[in-house]
Amino acid sequence: MVRKGWNLGSLVCRVGSPGFYLKMLAQESIVSSPGKVILHGEHAVVHGKVALAVGLNLRTFLRIRCSKHGKVLLNLPNLGTCLNWEVATLQTLKTAFPADSDGPKSPSPEQIAALKVFVGIASESADTENLAVLAFLYLYLSIGAKYRALPSLEIIVWSELPTGAGLGSSAAYNVSMAAALLMAHGAVGFPAQEEAESARWTAEELNLINTWAFQGEKIIHGNPSGVDNAVGTWGGALRYHAGKITSLERVPKLRILLTNTKVPRSTKLLVAGVKDKVLKFPNILNPVLSSIDAISQECERVLKEVNQNPSADCYTVLEELFDINQHHLNVLGVGHPSLDRLCQVTASHGLHSKLTGAGGGGCGITLLRPDVDPAVVEAAKQQLKACGYECWETHIGAPGISLHVFSALREEVQKVFQTFEKAEL
Amino acid sequence: MVRKGWNLGSLVCRVGSPGFYLKMLAQESIVSSPGKVILHGEHAVVHGKVALAVGLNLRTFLRIRCSKHGKVLLNLPNLGTCLNWEVATLQTLKTAFPADSDGPKSPSPEQIAALKVFVGIASESADTENLAVLAFLYLYLSIGAKYRALPSLEIIVWSELPTGAGLGSSAAYNVSMAAALLMAHGAVGFPAQEEAESARWTAEELNLINTWAFQGEKIIHGNPSGVDNAVGTWGGALRYHAGKITSLERVPKLRILLTNTKVPRSTKLLVAGVKDKVLKFPNILNPVLSSIDAISQECERVLKEVNQNPSADCYTVLEELFDINQHHLNVLGVGHPSLDRLCQVTASHGLHSKLTGAGGGGCGITLLRPDVDPAVVEAAKQQLKACGYECWETHIGAPGISLHVFSALREEVQKVFQTFEKAEL
């Protein structure tokens, strides 16, 4: 494997298998990373139980272009933000980001403070836009320090994911960003795309992308679990247990409705509430956590079975597990009338739902069997929208960070990038 | 203690404590027995967990009169049934009910068959009216055989309890009947009633009443657990665990709304459904059963606390236990949309409910804190009635089988008995 450091206009080479090939550094690359939903085990995971997190096929797309104008442009149209900096100005931050041959390190308080001063953010400011800019600058400067170059770039990020809904939008952003920057530095190659509409990296490269993305997550979340960026990187389904993340093999794609009740909630308060309840009623609540653990494990078993020998029974079990876990989450005190409503509406159409993530509002997922009548799905969607909810028909088990052929992207995504074709600087 | 066998017009004597007294056999006596609700542990009890059953202050009232007309009259106005038999005719059943000095025995298939032939019931007939008549004849003839007399009697039974709603109406009937018949034979005395509006028997006498009532329950239910008749006899609250029934000491009266959704269900099918689910998902369901067990035990602890040191916190815990168990019962698959509706309606008024008994429809109970605003209760009741449900504001922890002073009965109950004053034969 041959890799060279980033130089504007240079060749970045990768020897891939099964055949060897060389590829010109594309003038632009488009990558995407999936969102995340917790299939089972939210909250229980905090108490040492197994959780299953899966890739959500609502994706964050990032186009990176190398340029020669000596500037770095960051365009985040979802957030209404478009910023640019002279590379020369960014060089002034080298004191906080000195050349470093070690691997990724956690962002230091000094680095975060320096970035905030640079961008002009009040020290406690935490809005989505500011955090996204900070995470970008952190990754740009740290990866630049590691590979000893600060390239001139144009980056545009557009996402299908709502922010702040527990769907891993920040991780999809950080994973896409880390992959794009590492690609720009030649730290990861261009995976083979011939004939395919998209391509993925080697396990070693994915590890590198994930590790950098995790640092970006720390900028945004302080002390993240690492699950979201792992899903954004590997996609499919991951088992998370006692801090250890394992990718499940051959995960089926499962159709779902994802519904955002848009009811805001505080994950911290919800997690604290569960802890209080477990302390108040240990003999009542600990068995519930054990039951959730068993649900995650049973779900893992059934996902394998769906892959090997899909049957109507598999989907029935998946539905039953949704129902049971939704009741358990209510027992833990993280339900909400908006989620009850979601479950009732879908149940009235014969569909099974559960909250996903922190609860107390936020999002729910509804399983769609492969043979579900499209009219039923449409009726459920209309009724959910009538409740004021946002609703997506999508699937889980989506692939992780991928490199795309532009022409193979959905028309809507192509249009977004075409809109920003010329008006960037 | 002096007891004499029954003879028409004879004196039945009892030496009570603290003072000794003699009392004429009253020409009529009125007893009542409470209904039952399961506070916690329904279904889990089948799997070896603790259940708490409590006396429900909807009662079955029975008036017994000794007469000299040589007939036995049984009037069940709730069922629209009024039957009478010549004592001489009942004597013909002596072959199936020979004089017997042993204690109560389980009804034999031969006895049941003989009674069915006597009454003219098809062998598999099981409507409420027929079962009530069979249970009466069984108790009348068996107790008569034991005490070697078949008295001439007029019995009228009127109940506040709906039948077939899992509220122990048959047990309240059998307990009242056993107490009245045993009293008529002098097998239990007249408990002291001086100054008091009602009175109860000694533990030994209650045991005898309960054992006979249990035989009546066998006639009606085949293989009953014995919990319903125990509640009907002892009232208050009972702990039922692995076939063992223990009376809890000093149980507080708790105000409740009792709501009958009137949705019919089959207890047998519901119990079988839970068993199937436990077999299908043992690792998921067994912890839920353990959690229900812990709920019953926590509830027992809090009931003691309510008695010793009642606080708002106690009621909050009782509410939380209701909510958690209702979710668990849904997990076990014994919920029903009508019960979800009940819980939602009461929750919208800040009240907490759970199903009670078999589930799948049937009844739910809603806890009323001592300081609840009457307007809130009224609003909840109206809304529940608007759902087509029947709703009673009552209390649990009610006393078991009691002997009443007629003038101290509620006016409504007095009126019922007055209506049937003369028109009985």
Side-chain angles (χ1 to χ4, degrees):
Chain A
M1 195 172 307
V2 180
R3 274 194 198 136
K4 295 210 291 182
W6 168 273
N7 280 306
L8 289 185
S10 76
L11 281 171
V12 174
C13 308
R14 178 178 185 263
V15 180
S17 64
F20 293 92
Y21 60 92
L22 282 174
K23 194 160 190 169
M24 277 291 288
L25 170 63
Q27 282 302 298
E28 74 170 42
S29 300
I30 295 174
V31 297
S32 81
S33 174
K36 163 227 70 173
V37 292
I38 302 285
L39 196 52
H40 289 292
E42 48 271 273
H43 287 287
V45 72
V46 177
H47 300 264
K49 308 302 179 188
V50 172
L52 294 182
V54 290
L56 171 69
N57 204 40
L58 298 179
R59 305 182 74 90
T60 292
F61 292 87
L62 182 153
R63 184 181 70 195
I64 185 166
R65 277 182 180 164
C66 36
S67 70
K68 292 181 176 173
H69 47 47
K71 290 190 173 181
V72 171
L73 175 135
L74 179 67
N75 190 353
L76 308 174
N78 302 91
L79 304 178
T81 296
C82 188
L83 297 172
N84 70 76
W85 303 270
E86 298 284 342
V87 171
T89 315
L90 292 167
Q91 295 275 5
T92 63
L93 285 158
K94 270 202 157 174
T95 334
F97 294 85
D100 186 353
S101 57
D102 289 347
K105 286 182 202 150
S106 286
S108 69
E110 294 73 25
Q111 287 177 323
I112 295 173
L115 290 176
K116 283 188 173 174
V117 170
F118 179 78
V119 181
I121 298 171
S123 64
E124 289 310 310
S125 172
D127 63 65
T128 308
E129 180 192 331
N130 282 335
L131 291 171
V133 172
L134 285 181
F136 163 70
L137 287 173
Y138 175 80
L139 288 174
Y140 174 82
L141 292 163
S142 301
I143 294 174
K146 165 76 183 162
Y147 299 102
R148 296 165 204 273
L150 292 184
S152 176
L153 297 170
E154 292 174 15
I155 289 172
I156 173 167
V157 186
W158 178 80
S159 185
E160 296 167 336
L161 288 160
T163 57
L167 299 175
S169 64
S170 73
Y173 172 84
N174 282 312
V175 171
S176 303
M177 194 64 82
L181 292 171
L182 289 167
M183 228 176 16
H185 284 279
V188 300
F190 283 83
Q193 259 179 331
E194 284 141 59
E195 311 274 323
E197 294 179 349
S198 66
R200 308 201 56 230
W201 287 266
T202 64
E204 192 191 342
E205 289 169 322
L206 289 174
N207 260 322
L208 187 66
I209 292 167
N210 184 52
T211 313
W212 278 110
F214 188 39
Q215 310 316 314
E217 285 287 273
K218 288 178 189 165
I219 296 284
I220 294 179
H221 295 293
N223 186 24
S225 68
V227 169
D228 289 12
N229 49 282
V231 173
T233 303
W234 279 286
L238 301 178
R239 170 188 239 266
Y240 182 57
H241 184 216
K244 201 181 149 201
I245 298 167
T246 327
S247 198
L248 305 192
E249 282 179 24
R250 285 187 292 279
V251 175
K253 286 184 182 174
L254 295 178
R255 290 176 59 197
I256 60 156
L257 275 188
L258 176 81
T259 303
N260 187 357
T261 65
K262 299 192 210 161
V263 174
R265 70 278 183 266
S266 155
T267 301
K268 261 189 199 169
L269 287 181
L270 287 160
V271 168
V274 173
K275 199 175 164 189
D276 289 348
K277 216 164 179 184
V278 172
L279 285 172
K280 186 173 183 184
F281 301 121
N283 296 336
I284 297 168
L285 270 289
N286 282 322
V288 176
L289 297 173
S290 299
S291 181
I292 294 176
D293 197 56
I295 289 172
S296 292
Q297 297 188 41
E298 174 70 7
C299 182
E300 197 178 323
R301 190 193 66 72
V302 177
L303 289 180
K304 270 185 203 159
E305 202 176 313
V306 170
N307 236 333
Q308 288 162 1
N309 182 24
S311 70
D313 284 354
C314 290
Y315 290 97
T316 304
V317 170
L318 290 174
E319 287 173 347
E320 288 178 283
L321 299 181
F322 265 41
D323 291 341
I324 297 174
N325 204 353
Q326 175 62 17
H327 287 300
H328 285 351
L329 288 160
N330 274 309
V331 166
L332 296 183
V334 299
H336 189 269
S338 64
L339 293 163
D340 294 341
R341 186 86 191 272
L342 190 165
C343 292
Q344 276 157 32
V345 165
T346 56
S348 74
H349 295 279
L351 305 172
H352 300 253
S353 306
K354 68 177 280 287
L355 69 84
T356 179
C363 289
I365 47 175
T366 306
L367 191 71
L368 302 178
R369 302 171 78 110
D371 57 352
V372 66
D373 180 350
V376 164
V377 180
E378 193 50 39
K381 276 167 75 175
Q382 289 312 319
Q383 213 180 328
L384 290 168
K385 284 176 184 169
C387 296
Y389 303 162
E390 210 169 355
C391 202
W392 296 266
E393 195 177 336
T394 180
H395 67 260
I396 52 178
I401 180 80
S402 304
L403 180 68
H404 295 279
V405 173
F406 183 82
S407 61
L409 290 171
R410 280 194 301 121
E411 201 175 340
E412 187 194 359
V413 184
Q414 287 190 15
K415 273 191 184 161
V416 169
F417 288 123
Q418 280 160 350
T419 307
F420 295 99
E421 202 57 58
K422 308 216 171 220
E424 284 163 3
L425 277 175
Chain B
M1 194 170 310
V2 180
R3 274 193 199 139
K4 294 211 290 182
W6 169 273
N7 282 305
L8 287 186
S10 75
L11 280 171
V12 175
C13 310
R14 178 177 184 262
V15 180
S17 62
F20 294 93
Y21 60 92
L22 282 175
K23 195 159 189 171
M24 277 289 287
L25 169 63
Q27 282 301 297
E28 73 171 42
S29 300
I30 294 174
V31 297
S32 81
S33 173
K36 163 227 69 175
V37 293
I38 303 285
L39 197 53
H40 289 293
E42 47 272 273
H43 287 287
V45 72
V46 178
H47 300 265
K49 309 300 180 188
V50 172
L52 295 182
V54 290
L56 171 70
N57 204 40
L58 297 180
R59 306 181 73 89
T60 292
F61 293 87
L62 183 153
R63 184 182 71 195
I64 186 166
R65 277 183 181 165
C66 34
S67 71
K68 293 182 176 171
H69 48 47
K71 290 191 174 185
V72 171
L73 176 135
L74 178 68
N75 190 353
L76 309 174
N78 302 92
L79 304 178
T81 294
C82 187
L83 297 172
N84 69 78
W85 301 271
E86 298 285 342
V87 171
T89 313
L90 292 167
Q91 297 273 7
T92 64
L93 285 158
K94 269 199 158 175
T95 332
F97 295 85
D100 186 353
S101 57
D102 290 346
K105 285 182 201 150
S106 286
S108 69
E110 293 73 26
Q111 287 177 323
I112 296 173
L115 289 176
K116 283 187 173 175
V117 169
F118 179 79
V119 181
I121 299 172
S123 63
E124 289 311 308
S125 172
D127 64 65
T128 308
E129 181 192 330
N130 284 335
L131 291 171
V133 172
L134 284 182
F136 163 70
L137 286 175
Y138 176 80
L139 289 174
Y140 175 81
L141 291 163
S142 301
I143 294 174
K146 164 78 183 161
Y147 300 101
R148 296 166 206 273
L150 292 184
S152 176
L153 297 171
E154 292 173 17
I155 290 173
I156 174 167
V157 186
W158 178 81
S159 185
E160 295 166 336
L161 287 160
T163 57
L167 299 175
S169 64
S170 72
Y173 172 83
N174 281 312
V175 171
S176 304
M177 193 65 79
L181 292 172
L182 289 167
M183 230 176 15
H185 283 278
V188 300
F190 283 82
Q193 259 181 328
E194 283 142 60
E195 311 275 324
E197 294 179 348
S198 66
R200 308 201 56 229
W201 287 267
T202 65
E204 193 193 342
E205 288 169 322
L206 289 173
N207 259 322
L208 187 66
I209 292 168
N210 184 51
T211 313
W212 277 110
F214 189 39
Q215 310 316 317
E217 284 287 272
K218 288 178 190 166
I219 296 283
I220 293 179
H221 295 294
N223 187 24
S225 68
V227 169
D228 289 13
N229 48 282
V231 172
T233 304
W234 279 285
L238 300 178
R239 172 188 236 265
Y240 181 58
H241 185 216
K244 202 182 150 202
I245 298 167
T246 327
S247 197
L248 306 191
E249 283 178 24
R250 283 186 293 279
V251 176
K253 285 185 183 174
L254 295 177
R255 288 177 59 197
I256 60 156
L257 275 187
L258 175 80
T259 304
N260 187 357
T261 65
K262 299 191 210 162
V263 173
R265 72 276 182 267
S266 154
T267 302
K268 262 189 196 167
L269 287 180
L270 288 159
V271 168
V274 173
K275 199 175 164 193
D276 289 348
K277 216 165 178 182
V278 171
L279 284 172
K280 185 173 184 183
F281 301 121
N283 297 335
I284 297 168
L285 270 290
N286 281 322
V288 175
L289 296 173
S290 299
S291 180
I292 294 176
D293 196 59
I295 289 170
S296 292
Q297 297 187 43
E298 174 71 7
C299 183
E300 197 178 324
R301 190 192 65 72
V302 176
L303 289 180
K304 270 185 202 158
E305 204 177 312
V306 169
N307 236 333
Q308 288 161 3
N309 181 25
S311 71
D313 284 353
C314 289
Y315 290 96
T316 304
V317 170
L318 290 174
E319 287 174 347
E320 287 178 284
L321 299 182
F322 265 41
D323 291 341
I324 296 176
N325 204 355
Q326 176 62 16
H327 287 301
H328 285 352
L329 288 160
N330 273 308
V331 166
L332 296 184
V334 299
H336 189 270
S338 64
L339 293 163
D340 295 341
R341 186 87 192 273
L342 190 166
C343 292
Q344 277 158 33
V345 165
T346 55
S348 73
H349 295 279
L351 305 172
H352 300 253
S353 305
K354 70 177 278 286
L355 71 84
T356 180
C363 290
I365 46 174
T366 306
L367 192 72
L368 302 178
R369 302 169 78 109
D371 57 352
V372 65
D373 179 350
V376 164
V377 180
E378 192 50 38
K381 274 167 75 175
Q382 289 311 320
Q383 213 179 327
L384 290 167
K385 284 176 184 170
C387 296
Y389 303 161
E390 210 169 355
C391 203
W392 296 266
E393 196 177 337
T394 180
H395 67 261
I396 51 178
I401 180 80
S402 303
L403 179 69
H404 295 280
V405 173
F406 183 83
S407 60
L409 290 172
R410 279 193 302 119
E411 200 175 340
E412 186 194 0
V413 184
Q414 289 190 14
K415 274 192 182 161
V416 170
F417 287 122
Q418 279 160 352
T419 307
F420 295 98
E421 200 59 55
K422 311 218 171 220
E424 284 164 3
L425 276 176

